[in-house]
Amino acid sequence: MIKFSYHLNQDNIELHASNWCGLERVFINGKVVSRKFNFGLQSMHDVLLDNGKKCRFQLIADPQTSLISCRIYKQNQLVTILKQGQKQLQKSQFMIESGFVIVCVGMLSMYLLS
């Protein structure tokens, strides 16, 4: 899971993107305001902030550099670019694999004990 967090004026904004199932979600102040499945290299989410202003989130994956960036636009003007690299992806994949191993070991031990 890749997470981008940003404070824009009074709003706490988060974008979560799963590199496992392709689900992307945008949260504003803890509330889901946009979600979609995406398995491509780029996606966009257009949402309205609490003050009625339009905000766009553009998620871009660069396969050559293994860099994922999130561009945040407010009223069609670029506010910031947030980036995460290969280390975050590897950490996320390690967590998924570790969880899978724990579940498998737990199921196997339950099977052997019964």
Side-chain angles (χ1 to χ4, degrees), residues 2-47:
I2 297 164
K3 297 179 185 180
F4 293 99
S5 297
Y6 191 73
H7 291 281
L8 184 62
N9 299 335
Q10 304 296 328
D11 296 313
N12 181 27
I13 297 170
E14 291 184 23
L15 188 138
H16 297 185
S18 173
N19 53 343
W20 183 66
C21 70
L23 178 63
E24 297 176 356
R25 295 178 295 174
V26 177
F27 296 84
I28 296 181
N29 300 323
K31 179 182 173 188
V32 177
V33 294
S34 178
R35 83 177 84 191
K36 68 168 67 171
F37 284 98
N38 176 41
F39 291 100
L41 297 177
Q42 184 172 339
S43 71
M44 275 193 265
H45 297 264
D46 291 318
V47 299

Side-chain angles (χ1 to χ4, degrees), residues 3-113:
K3 297 179 185 180
F4 293 99
S5 297
Y6 191 73
H7 291 281
L8 184 62
N9 299 335
Q10 304 296 328
D11 296 313
N12 181 27
I13 297 170
E14 291 184 23
L15 188 138
H16 297 185
S18 173
N19 53 343
W20 183 66
C21 70
L23 178 63
E24 297 176 356
R25 295 178 295 174
V26 177
F27 296 84
I28 296 181
N29 300 323
K31 179 182 173 188
V32 177
V33 294
S34 178
R35 83 177 84 191
K36 68 168 67 171
F37 284 98
N38 176 41
F39 291 100
L41 297 177
Q42 184 172 339
S43 71
M44 275 193 265
H45 297 264
D46 291 318
V47 299
L48 288 177
L49 299 175
D50 289 340
N51 61 7
K53 307 258 181 173
K54 182 180 165 185
C55 193
R56 171 175 284 168
F57 302 89
Q58 185 178 27
L59 193 63
I60 302 169
D62 184 356
Q64 293 177 342
T65 62
S66 297
L67 193 67
I68 297 178
S69 61
C70 176
R71 295 180 182 176
I72 300 175
Y73 297 86
K74 184 176 175 186
Q75 295 185 317
N76 294 325
Q77 291 189 345
L78 182 63
V79 174
T80 189
I81 300 174
L82 308 172
K83 297 182 180 184
Q84 289 188 15
Q86 183 67 25
K87 188 180 283 187
Q88 178 63 27
L89 286 173
Q90 288 173 341
K91 181 180 176 183
S92 174
Q93 289 172 342
F94 175 76
M95 295 296 288
I96 290 170
E97 290 169 357
S98 298
F100 181 72
V101 168
I102 290 169
V103 167
C104 288
V105 168
M107 290 174 60
L108 181 62
S109 64
M110 288 178 61
Y111 175 75
L112 293 175
L113 291 175

